[in-house]
Amino acid sequence: MENIVIIGNGVAGVTAARHIRKNSNKRIIIISAETDHFFSRTALMYVYMGHMKFEHIKPYEDWFWEKNRIELIRAYVSKVDHENKELQIEDARVLKYDKLILATGSKPNKFGWPGQDLHGVQGLYSKQDLDLLEINAPNKEVCKRAVIVGGGLIGIELAEMLRSRDIPVTFLVREESFWNVILPDGESEMINEHILEHHIDLRLETNLKEIVADKNGRVKSVITDKEEIIECQVVGLTPGVSPNVSFLNDSGIELGRGIKVNRFLETNIKDIYAIGDCAEQHEPIGNRRPIEAVWYTGRMMGETVAQTICGNRTEYKPGHWFNSAKFFDIEYQTYGWVFSTKGKKAYEQHFHWRHPAEKICLTIAFDKETRQFLGINTFGIRMRHEIFDRWLNEERDVMHVIKYLKDANFDPEFYAVYENEIAAKFNLEYGTDLKPEKKNWKRIFAIG
């Protein structure tokens, strides 16, 4: 029986295992040192906030693995010997494989700051990070202030977690506006306001210089590049993540920042594949980055590589870009491509609308010459993925999007809708006379 070994029990590795089992009778072994069982990494914050228990964020019951004949090993892999098709396990065991899937995920970035390894300094990525946060910041008596370094999605999650326990937070963001390397200016500015409304001390254009220890080797303060001293008991380092691949340095597997793969997720070594956060495309797919640390792309890669493992060699085709996140109370969705103001393409035009009172806005990107719809960001308005996917495939123009925007609105019927106001602003800016059509279920589901 063919031996399939998967290193990593995140969404990519587990999805690959599930789909290999659906399509074959192969022996499947998953190795991970993080936890005994797969859990939803994006739900870690809700465990700390008291909304869920850890067992609630495991998508499958513990009996699932044995029933589906997926073997689990809790251990580190220290070496990959591709010539002999062997893995060296930390306790000196050797495990043979016929095909190997590397799904080792990411690790938090560190940039050599003095004091970055002190007690009280941590990231927010793993189950171990969650356990450590319970020790470092159980309440506001133990942690009188936390400093978060890095203005991405993990940073905003950590800020929300700490504020749920009334712990004061100072947020150091090196950019002049929050996440403005990703978001257009109007959206970034709105998120700045929202962060401040949640009583977070937001310090823009501010870098960490040093983390200072007390006499016991714990954090007592940080020093910024503006020579400010901020007393704190916890420092959250959240300046992004990078592929977890250092154990492969002498393996013969081609590495860049991650594990280099082709469009079939194959490495340079026969029978070795890489998926998820650790995989790096030789050439980016469209406007996508070569490495995508996103939940749904990991799942798609797992499904794709399973087909190849089971004899149906399949190219990885992720389709149109989409993502979603949450900034405290504001839900964010993006479909297609809406680049930041600084990163905007030469052909790209932005239409931005913001509600005059609520934290609700959207930005639509389109080609300034052809008016072809390129993408949309929404904050505080839920949209239907399948509608935007269809419009992008059909290469609709921006006028079609504005006219039929109600079809894409996923909010419940009793929610306020804003399509008329959005169309009115578009008409004013572009001299059109568009009137939004009523929601039509035949159009939504492409019936008839």
Side-chain angles (χ1 to χ4, degrees):
M1 184 184 296
E2 194 173 38
N3 231 19
I4 311 300
V5 177
I6 302 168
I7 305 178
N9 72 344
V11 66
V14 166
T15 301
R18 286 180 51 245
H19 283 264
I20 292 169
R21 174 55 66 239
K22 284 181 181 180
N23 292 289
S24 77
N25 197 36
K26 301 176 190 294
R27 186 186 182 194
I28 304 170
I29 302 170
I30 298 178
I31 307 173
S32 172
E34 183 178 10
T35 53
D36 289 327
H37 302 102
F38 169 53
F39 67 93
S40 175
R41 198 172 301 281
T42 55
L44 279 175
M45 64 184 294
Y46 300 113
V47 178
Y48 180 86
M49 294 168 72
H51 302 322
M52 308 173 82
K53 294 182 178 179
F54 183 74
E55 55 263 33
H56 298 155
I57 69 171
K58 294 191 290 185
Y60 308 106
E61 299 285 350
D62 293 351
W63 50 258
F64 171 89
W65 309 100
E66 184 177 355
K67 179 181 177 181
N68 288 277
R69 293 174 290 116
I70 299 172
E71 301 171 43
L72 305 177
I73 297 176
R74 180 87 178 265
Y76 284 100
V77 175
S78 57
K79 183 180 178 182
V80 175
D81 177 359
H82 69 83
E83 292 181 350
N84 296 303
K85 289 195 167 183
E86 291 180 346
L87 303 178
Q88 185 76 46
I89 311 296
E90 60 177 342
D91 59 7
R93 281 184 291 171
V94 171
L95 184 64
K96 289 276 190 181
Y97 69 85
D98 293 300
K99 287 186 170 60
L100 175 64
I101 301 173
L102 301 168
T104 52
S106 297
K107 60 183 180 180
N109 288 330
K110 289 186 175 182
F111 294 105
W113 292 294
Q116 68 181 16
D117 296 317
L118 292 171
H119 293 298
V121 181
Q122 67 165 97
L124 180 66
Y125 182 79
S126 66
K127 171 61 163 59
Q128 287 75 13
D129 291 333
L130 176 68
D131 296 339
L132 189 58
L133 193 63
E134 283 287 2
I135 296 169
N136 288 332
N139 51 55
K140 61 183 179 181
E141 283 72 38
V142 172
C143 180
K144 295 179 171 56
R145 177 166 294 276
V147 172
I148 298 172
V149 181
L153 294 177
I154 297 176
I156 203 80
E157 286 182 1
L158 181 55
E160 182 174 0
M161 292 163 67
L162 294 165
R163 290 301 299 139
S164 75
R165 300 194 184 186
D166 295 324
I167 295 170
V169 173
T170 295
F171 207 163
L172 307 185
V173 176
R174 68 179 181 178
E175 291 83 17
E176 64 270 22
S177 187
F178 185 86
W179 220 36
N180 68 346
V181 295
I182 302 294
L183 301 177
D185 288 348
E187 298 170 357
S188 176
E189 289 161 7
M190 189 179 79
I191 298 302
N192 291 342
E193 296 168 17
H194 195 56
I195 291 170
L196 293 169
E197 287 170 354
H198 281 78
H199 309 291
I200 290 171
D201 175 24
L202 178 62
R203 308 282 186 97
L204 298 172
E205 296 184 278
T206 304
N207 289 289
L208 174 65
K209 180 180 177 182
E210 181 180 352
I211 306 170
V212 181
D214 65 13
K215 61 182 180 181
N216 298 313
R218 285 195 60 87
V219 172
K220 74 170 185 178
S221 64
V222 300
I223 302 174
T224 74
D225 59 352
K226 298 178 180 177
E227 303 303 329
E228 298 169 300
I229 298 174
I230 304 170
E231 293 187 3
C232 59
Q233 290 71 49
V234 169
V235 176
L237 297 181
T238 63
V241 294
S242 54
N244 182 25
V245 297
S246 57
F247 75 105
L248 298 172
N249 283 340
D250 299 319
S251 67
I253 298 170
E254 184 180 358
L255 303 177
R257 285 186 59 236
I259 303 164
K260 291 284 193 175
V261 294
N262 62 18
R263 291 289 194 264
F264 296 89
L265 304 171
E266 299 161 330
T267 70
N268 62 310
I269 304 296
K270 188 177 185 299
D271 294 330
I272 299 181
Y273 309 83
I275 57 176
D277 297 13
C278 67
E280 179 181 0
Q281 289 283 331
H282 285 285
E283 298 293 334
I285 299 173
N287 285 319
R288 290 172 177 268
R289 296 178 179 182
I291 300 171
E292 292 189 310
V294 182
W295 181 88
Y296 84 88
T297 57
R299 176 176 53 78
M300 293 173 72
M301 288 185 205
E303 293 175 2
T304 301
V305 81
Q307 291 294 318
T308 296
I309 293 284
C310 294
N312 178 28
R313 191 166 181 260
T314 302
E315 184 176 349
Y316 172 57
K317 295 181 179 180
H320 297 296
W321 169 256
F322 69 94
N323 202 5
S324 62
K326 191 167 160 283
F327 297 87
F328 290 99
D329 309 318
I330 304 175
E331 292 186 33
Y332 158 70
Q333 293 176 293
T334 183
Y335 302 99
W337 293 106
V338 183
F339 292 101
S340 70
T341 301
K342 289 182 178 178
K344 194 162 62 172
K345 305 297 185 183
Y347 56 79
E348 188 180 353
Q349 182 82 33
H350 283 178
F351 164 69
H352 180 72
W353 170 86
R354 179 174 173 180
H355 191 277
E358 304 291 333
K359 292 292 186 292
I360 297 169
C361 73
L362 62 73
T363 302
I364 297 174
F366 59 96
D367 188 295
K368 63 177 64 174
E369 296 295 330
T370 66
R371 296 289 178 98
Q372 181 180 328
F373 170 60
L374 302 174
I376 185 169
N377 289 349
T378 68
F379 288 80
I381 305 173
R382 292 180 182 177
M383 294 291 185
R384 296 178 184 274
H385 177 190
E386 65 273 18
I387 294 292
F388 286 115
D389 203 53
R390 186 191 309 162
W391 289 345
L392 289 164
N393 283 333
E394 294 170 349
E395 299 184 352
R396 294 290 188 173
D397 62 37
V398 66
M399 282 76 79
H400 180 92
V401 173
I402 297 293
K403 186 173 182 179
Y404 296 106
L405 197 56
K406 286 182 181 178
D407 287 353
N409 195 321
F410 195 71
D411 279 328
E413 292 296 327
F414 56 83
Y415 274 41
V417 292
Y418 307 101
E419 287 83 2
N420 291 335
E421 293 93 328
I422 293 166
K425 187 180 182 193
F426 187 90
N427 288 335
L428 186 64
E429 289 190 12
Y430 295 101
T432 54
D433 188 28
L434 296 172
K435 294 179 176 61
E437 291 284 334
K438 292 181 179 179
K439 183 176 284 190
N440 183 305
W441 294 106
K442 286 188 177 182
R443 285 197 304 264
I444 291 170
F445 295 109
I447 301 169

